[in-house]
Amino acid sequence: MYRLGFHVSIAQGFLKVFDNAKFVGANCCQIFTHSPRSWTFNLISEDVGKLFREKYSKEDIKPIIVHDSYLPNLASESKEMLDKSIDSIKKEFICCNRMGIEYLNIHPGSYKKNKNDGLKLVSKSLNSIKEYVENVTLLFENTSGWGSSLGSSFEELKVLLESTDFKCGVTLDTCHLFASGYNISNEESLSQTLNLFDKTVGIENLKLIHLNDSVGMLGSKVDRHEHIGLGNIGINGFSAIINNEYLKKIPMIMETPVNEKRGDKENINFLKSMIKT
Ligand SMILES: [Zn+2]
Ligand SMILES: [Zn+2]
């Protein structure tokens, strides 16, 4: 059974997340634990965490994924920034465990000098807080490769998985894949890209898909999301993705825009209309 959902708002409180997901026709979703553009991080209380866990066990909204905020950089060259970043991810783990959430999705970070040193620093930073991981699986999200961002190639994702001392997996964002140069815009190119991922990282490590079309061209490194089928991955690409025998078993979260062209309901309906039964 398909697991299709969106990134949903926590503005009305954590317990409202389930209704927000259902309202747009989703059966899984992704959330932030606090404002993603702020370092202010109020931990979810144990009481609200318990209520959330109870609701999560009953509702058919699964899985729920926490996405880290935009500010942390686990490969920062500044000690102050690095400490702040590690502390923030530590708090994400605490929140996930309180809420009974099994996946924390993070962007690896950015590093200006040697990429391999940057990747090792990400894992070292994470290993320093491993006692907080408990029941959570950390997911490294692939990036578009813009600037000095880490994690845009399968080889880099492999290094991260191998250097981190606890349970980890990978999120593949379709927009980031395409922007970083992996073609997925038709069935043949998708299967080549997945074969390459399997050979390099191991397909069993793929735990989540971020389903976004791409404003930028193949290899452009531009991280701008478009509605499903309206970008450069296009209808052929998403039809191949949604009907792929392996991918259809992986939860898919859309982080698509909401604007005059479409909202979330239109995107999920469009996606569902492409499913071949
Ligand atoms: Zn994403
Ligand atoms: Zn993105």
Side-chain angles (χ1 to χ4, degrees), residues 99-121:
M99 300 167 95
I101 286 178
E102 54 271 69
Y103 292 116
L104 171 62
N105 178 98
I106 69 162
H107 293 185
S110 60
Y111 193 77
K112 292 191 190 73
K113 291 175 251 167
N114 176 308
K115 267 200 167 173
N116 221 42
D117 289 348
L119 296 166
K120 293 279 164 58
L121 182 52

PDB file of all heavy atoms in Angstrom, residues 99-121:
ATOM      1  N   MET A  99       8.270  11.675  21.117  1.00  0.00           N
ATOM      2  CA  MET A  99       7.064  11.583  20.292  1.00  0.00           C
ATOM      3  C   MET A  99       6.855  10.195  19.686  1.00  0.00           C
ATOM      4  O   MET A  99       5.843   9.936  19.055  1.00  0.00           O
ATOM      5  CB  MET A  99       7.129  12.617  19.155  1.00  0.00           C
ATOM      6  CG  MET A  99       7.218  14.033  19.649  1.00  0.00           C
ATOM      7  SD  MET A  99       7.656  15.171  18.328  1.00  0.00           S
ATOM      8  CE  MET A  99       6.045  15.712  17.818  1.00  0.00           C
ATOM      9  N   GLY A 100       7.830   9.319  19.852  1.00  0.00           N
ATOM     10  CA  GLY A 100       7.722   7.983  19.260  1.00  0.00           C
ATOM     11  C   GLY A 100       7.940   7.998  17.753  1.00  0.00           C
ATOM     12  O   GLY A 100       7.486   7.110  17.031  1.00  0.00           O
ATOM     13  N   ILE A 101       8.656   9.011  17.286  1.00  0.00           N
ATOM     14  CA  ILE A 101       8.942   9.138  15.851  1.00  0.00           C
ATOM     15  C   ILE A 101      10.238   8.398  15.527  1.00  0.00           C
ATOM     16  O   ILE A 101      11.240   8.566  16.209  1.00  0.00           O
ATOM     17  CB  ILE A 101       9.027  10.637  15.464  1.00  0.00           C
ATOM     18  CG1 ILE A 101       7.603  11.199  15.466  1.00  0.00           C
ATOM     19  CG2 ILE A 101       9.734  10.847  14.132  1.00  0.00           C
ATOM     20  CD1 ILE A 101       7.497  12.671  15.146  1.00  0.00           C
ATOM     21  N   GLU A 102      10.172   7.564  14.479  1.00  0.00           N
ATOM     22  CA  GLU A 102      11.308   6.679  14.198  1.00  0.00           C
ATOM     23  C   GLU A 102      12.358   7.227  13.240  1.00  0.00           C
ATOM     24  O   GLU A 102      13.437   6.676  13.142  1.00  0.00           O
ATOM     25  CB  GLU A 102      10.827   5.309  13.745  1.00  0.00           C
ATOM     26  CG  GLU A 102       9.845   5.272  12.567  1.00  0.00           C
ATOM     27  CD  GLU A 102       8.378   5.356  12.983  1.00  0.00           C
ATOM     28  OE1 GLU A 102       7.979   6.441  13.463  1.00  0.00           O
ATOM     29  OE2 GLU A 102       7.629   4.382  12.805  1.00  0.00           O
ATOM     30  N   TYR A 103      12.016   8.308  12.503  1.00  0.00           N
ATOM     31  CA  TYR A 103      12.986   8.824  11.528  1.00  0.00           C
ATOM     32  C   TYR A 103      13.291  10.302  11.725  1.00  0.00           C
ATOM     33  O   TYR A 103      12.379  11.121  11.832  1.00  0.00           O
ATOM     34  CB  TYR A 103      12.453   8.660  10.101  1.00  0.00           C
ATOM     35  CG  TYR A 103      12.337   7.237   9.640  1.00  0.00           C
ATOM     36  CD1 TYR A 103      11.087   6.684   9.338  1.00  0.00           C
ATOM     37  CD2 TYR A 103      13.469   6.435   9.490  1.00  0.00           C
ATOM     38  CE1 TYR A 103      10.973   5.371   8.900  1.00  0.00           C
ATOM     39  CE2 TYR A 103      13.360   5.120   9.053  1.00  0.00           C
ATOM     40  CZ  TYR A 103      12.105   4.604   8.759  1.00  0.00           C
ATOM     41  OH  TYR A 103      12.001   3.311   8.328  1.00  0.00           O
ATOM     42  N   LEU A 104      14.581  10.609  11.735  1.00  0.00           N
ATOM     43  CA  LEU A 104      15.036  12.009  11.698  1.00  0.00           C
ATOM     44  C   LEU A 104      15.804  12.215  10.398  1.00  0.00           C
ATOM     45  O   LEU A 104      16.818  11.544  10.145  1.00  0.00           O
ATOM     46  CB  LEU A 104      15.948  12.310  12.896  1.00  0.00           C
ATOM     47  CG  LEU A 104      16.657  13.675  12.860  1.00  0.00           C
ATOM     48  CD1 LEU A 104      15.651  14.823  12.866  1.00  0.00           C
ATOM     49  CD2 LEU A 104      17.622  13.817  14.041  1.00  0.00           C
ATOM     50  N   ASN A 105      15.284  13.124   9.550  1.00  0.00           N
ATOM     51  CA  ASN A 105      15.905  13.423   8.259  1.00  0.00           C
ATOM     52  C   ASN A 105      16.775  14.672   8.402  1.00  0.00           C
ATOM     53  O   ASN A 105      16.295  15.703   8.876  1.00  0.00           O
ATOM     54  CB  ASN A 105      14.762  13.677   7.256  1.00  0.00           C
ATOM     55  CG  ASN A 105      15.244  14.043   5.863  1.00  0.00           C
ATOM     56  OD1 ASN A 105      15.316  13.191   4.990  1.00  0.00           O
ATOM     57  ND2 ASN A 105      15.550  15.312   5.622  1.00  0.00           N
ATOM     58  N   ILE A 106      18.032  14.569   8.012  1.00  0.00           N
ATOM     59  CA  ILE A 106      18.891  15.765   8.079  1.00  0.00           C
ATOM     60  C   ILE A 106      19.612  16.020   6.749  1.00  0.00           C
ATOM     61  O   ILE A 106      19.854  15.108   5.972  1.00  0.00           O
ATOM     62  CB  ILE A 106      19.953  15.688   9.207  1.00  0.00           C
ATOM     63  CG1 ILE A 106      21.028  14.625   8.901  1.00  0.00           C
ATOM     64  CG2 ILE A 106      19.324  15.413  10.560  1.00  0.00           C
ATOM     65  CD1 ILE A 106      22.287  14.803   9.736  1.00  0.00           C
ATOM     66  N   HIS A 107      19.946  17.287   6.530  1.00  0.00           N
ATOM     67  CA  HIS A 107      20.849  17.644   5.442  1.00  0.00           C
ATOM     68  C   HIS A 107      22.247  17.537   6.035  1.00  0.00           C
ATOM     69  O   HIS A 107      22.479  18.080   7.124  1.00  0.00           O
ATOM     70  CB  HIS A 107      20.587  19.072   4.969  1.00  0.00           C
ATOM     71  CG  HIS A 107      19.263  19.254   4.306  1.00  0.00           C
ATOM     72  ND1 HIS A 107      18.872  20.425   3.725  1.00  0.00           N
ATOM     73  CD2 HIS A 107      18.232  18.391   4.119  1.00  0.00           C
ATOM     74  CE1 HIS A 107      17.667  20.285   3.213  1.00  0.00           C
ATOM     75  NE2 HIS A 107      17.247  19.071   3.437  1.00  0.00           N
ATOM     76  N   PRO A 108      23.161  16.862   5.363  1.00  0.00           N
ATOM     77  CA  PRO A 108      24.461  16.607   5.992  1.00  0.00           C
ATOM     78  C   PRO A 108      25.217  17.863   6.414  1.00  0.00           C
ATOM     79  O   PRO A 108      25.837  17.883   7.480  1.00  0.00           O
ATOM     80  CB  PRO A 108      25.226  15.841   4.908  1.00  0.00           C
ATOM     81  CG  PRO A 108      24.170  15.218   4.057  1.00  0.00           C
ATOM     82  CD  PRO A 108      23.025  16.177   4.068  1.00  0.00           C
ATOM     83  N   GLY A 109      25.200  18.927   5.609  1.00  0.00           N
ATOM     84  CA  GLY A 109      25.951  20.137   5.974  1.00  0.00           C
ATOM     85  C   GLY A 109      26.784  20.617   4.804  1.00  0.00           C
ATOM     86  O   GLY A 109      26.615  20.155   3.670  1.00  0.00           O
ATOM     87  N   SER A 110      27.667  21.568   5.075  1.00  0.00           N
ATOM     88  CA  SER A 110      28.524  22.035   3.987  1.00  0.00           C
ATOM     89  C   SER A 110      29.948  22.251   4.496  1.00  0.00           C
ATOM     90  O   SER A 110      30.170  22.519   5.685  1.00  0.00           O
ATOM     91  CB  SER A 110      27.963  23.311   3.369  1.00  0.00           C
ATOM     92  OG  SER A 110      27.890  24.317   4.339  1.00  0.00           O
ATOM     93  N   TYR A 111      30.873  22.094   3.577  1.00  0.00           N
ATOM     94  CA  TYR A 111      32.287  22.144   3.937  1.00  0.00           C
ATOM     95  C   TYR A 111      33.079  22.690   2.759  1.00  0.00           C
ATOM     96  O   TYR A 111      32.947  22.196   1.640  1.00  0.00           O
ATOM     97  CB  TYR A 111      32.769  20.736   4.288  1.00  0.00           C
ATOM     98  CG  TYR A 111      34.109  20.688   4.964  1.00  0.00           C
ATOM     99  CD1 TYR A 111      34.229  21.024   6.305  1.00  0.00           C
ATOM    100  CD2 TYR A 111      35.235  20.287   4.268  1.00  0.00           C
ATOM    101  CE1 TYR A 111      35.462  20.981   6.944  1.00  0.00           C
ATOM    102  CE2 TYR A 111      36.474  20.224   4.901  1.00  0.00           C
ATOM    103  CZ  TYR A 111      36.577  20.573   6.235  1.00  0.00           C
ATOM    104  OH  TYR A 111      37.794  20.517   6.863  1.00  0.00           O
ATOM    105  N   LYS A 112      33.866  23.720   3.022  1.00  0.00           N
ATOM    106  CA  LYS A 112      34.508  24.424   1.909  1.00  0.00           C
ATOM    107  C   LYS A 112      35.762  23.744   1.383  1.00  0.00           C
ATOM    108  O   LYS A 112      36.054  23.796   0.203  1.00  0.00           O
ATOM    109  CB  LYS A 112      34.828  25.859   2.320  1.00  0.00           C
ATOM    110  CG  LYS A 112      33.563  26.686   2.518  1.00  0.00           C
ATOM    111  CD  LYS A 112      33.872  28.160   2.653  1.00  0.00           C
ATOM    112  CE  LYS A 112      32.634  28.924   3.082  1.00  0.00           C
ATOM    113  NZ  LYS A 112      32.288  28.693   4.513  1.00  0.00           N
ATOM    114  N   LYS A 113      36.525  23.100   2.253  1.00  0.00           N
ATOM    115  CA  LYS A 113      37.814  22.543   1.796  1.00  0.00           C
ATOM    116  C   LYS A 113      37.628  21.154   1.185  1.00  0.00           C
ATOM    117  O   LYS A 113      36.924  20.996   0.208  1.00  0.00           O
ATOM    118  CB  LYS A 113      38.815  22.553   2.942  1.00  0.00           C
ATOM    119  CG  LYS A 113      39.228  23.979   3.326  1.00  0.00           C
ATOM    120  CD  LYS A 113      40.134  23.997   4.543  1.00  0.00           C
ATOM    121  CE  LYS A 113      39.391  24.566   5.741  1.00  0.00           C
ATOM    122  NZ  LYS A 113      40.078  24.354   6.999  1.00  0.00           N
ATOM    123  N   ASN A 114      38.213  20.140   1.803  1.00  0.00           N
ATOM    124  CA  ASN A 114      38.162  18.789   1.265  1.00  0.00           C
ATOM    125  C   ASN A 114      36.845  18.101   1.639  1.00  0.00           C
ATOM    126  O   ASN A 114      36.514  17.993   2.813  1.00  0.00           O
ATOM    127  CB  ASN A 114      39.381  18.045   1.837  1.00  0.00           C
ATOM    128  CG  ASN A 114      39.418  16.606   1.461  1.00  0.00           C
ATOM    129  OD1 ASN A 114      38.457  15.884   1.653  1.00  0.00           O
ATOM    130  ND2 ASN A 114      40.530  16.182   0.917  1.00  0.00           N
ATOM    131  N   LYS A 115      36.107  17.644   0.619  1.00  0.00           N
ATOM    132  CA  LYS A 115      34.785  17.062   0.871  1.00  0.00           C
ATOM    133  C   LYS A 115      34.841  15.874   1.813  1.00  0.00           C
ATOM    134  O   LYS A 115      34.002  15.726   2.702  1.00  0.00           O
ATOM    135  CB  LYS A 115      34.147  16.608  -0.453  1.00  0.00           C
ATOM    136  CG  LYS A 115      33.278  17.681  -1.055  1.00  0.00           C
ATOM    137  CD  LYS A 115      32.277  17.145  -2.044  1.00  0.00           C
ATOM    138  CE  LYS A 115      31.271  18.261  -2.330  1.00  0.00           C
ATOM    139  NZ  LYS A 115      30.340  17.941  -3.379  1.00  0.00           N
ATOM    140  N   ASN A 116      35.854  15.032   1.620  1.00  0.00           N
ATOM    141  CA  ASN A 116      35.947  13.846   2.448  1.00  0.00           C
ATOM    142  C   ASN A 116      36.145  14.195   3.925  1.00  0.00           C
ATOM    143  O   ASN A 116      35.539  13.569   4.807  1.00  0.00           O
ATOM    144  CB  ASN A 116      37.085  12.957   1.945  1.00  0.00           C
ATOM    145  CG  ASN A 116      36.681  11.503   1.988  1.00  0.00           C
ATOM    146  OD1 ASN A 116      35.549  11.162   1.626  1.00  0.00           O
ATOM    147  ND2 ASN A 116      37.574  10.667   2.468  1.00  0.00           N
ATOM    148  N   ASP A 117      36.945  15.223   4.197  1.00  0.00           N
ATOM    149  CA  ASP A 117      37.124  15.689   5.579  1.00  0.00           C
ATOM    150  C   ASP A 117      35.799  16.203   6.134  1.00  0.00           C
ATOM    151  O   ASP A 117      35.477  15.985   7.297  1.00  0.00           O
ATOM    152  CB  ASP A 117      38.164  16.822   5.643  1.00  0.00           C
ATOM    153  CG  ASP A 117      39.573  16.315   5.382  1.00  0.00           C
ATOM    154  OD1 ASP A 117      39.754  15.077   5.390  1.00  0.00           O
ATOM    155  OD2 ASP A 117      40.468  17.146   5.148  1.00  0.00           O
ATOM    156  N   GLY A 118      35.045  16.903   5.296  1.00  0.00           N
ATOM    157  CA  GLY A 118      33.747  17.418   5.700  1.00  0.00           C
ATOM    158  C   GLY A 118      32.795  16.292   6.077  1.00  0.00           C
ATOM    159  O   GLY A 118      32.114  16.352   7.102  1.00  0.00           O
ATOM    160  N   LEU A 119      32.775  15.246   5.270  1.00  0.00           N
ATOM    161  CA  LEU A 119      31.892  14.104   5.538  1.00  0.00           C
ATOM    162  C   LEU A 119      32.272  13.423   6.848  1.00  0.00           C
ATOM    163  O   LEU A 119      31.414  13.051   7.655  1.00  0.00           O
ATOM    164  CB  LEU A 119      31.964  13.098   4.386  1.00  0.00           C
ATOM    165  CG  LEU A 119      31.457  13.603   3.029  1.00  0.00           C
ATOM    166  CD1 LEU A 119      31.881  12.672   1.908  1.00  0.00           C
ATOM    167  CD2 LEU A 119      29.936  13.768   3.034  1.00  0.00           C
ATOM    168  N   LYS A 120      33.577  13.279   7.056  1.00  0.00           N
ATOM    169  CA  LYS A 120      34.062  12.639   8.290  1.00  0.00           C
ATOM    170  C   LYS A 120      33.671  13.474   9.514  1.00  0.00           C
ATOM    171  O   LYS A 120      33.345  12.934  10.571  1.00  0.00           O
ATOM    172  CB  LYS A 120      35.588  12.444   8.234  1.00  0.00           C
ATOM    173  CG  LYS A 120      36.041  11.433   7.187  1.00  0.00           C
ATOM    174  CD  LYS A 120      35.885  10.014   7.702  1.00  0.00           C
ATOM    175  CE  LYS A 120      35.936   8.941   6.613  1.00  0.00           C
ATOM    176  NZ  LYS A 120      37.152   8.932   5.824  1.00  0.00           N
ATOM    177  N   LEU A 121      33.708  14.799   9.341  1.00  0.00           N
ATOM    178  CA  LEU A 121      33.346  15.690  10.453  1.00  0.00           C
ATOM    179  C   LEU A 121      31.841  15.579  10.769  1.00  0.00           C
ATOM    180  O   LEU A 121      31.448  15.604  11.944  1.00  0.00           O
ATOM    181  CB  LEU A 121      33.731  17.140  10.113  1.00  0.00           C
ATOM    182  CG  LEU A 121      33.463  18.206  11.174  1.00  0.00           C
ATOM    183  CD1 LEU A 121      34.051  17.818  12.529  1.00  0.00           C
ATOM    184  CD2 LEU A 121      34.023  19.562  10.723  1.00  0.00           C
TER     185      LEU A 121
END
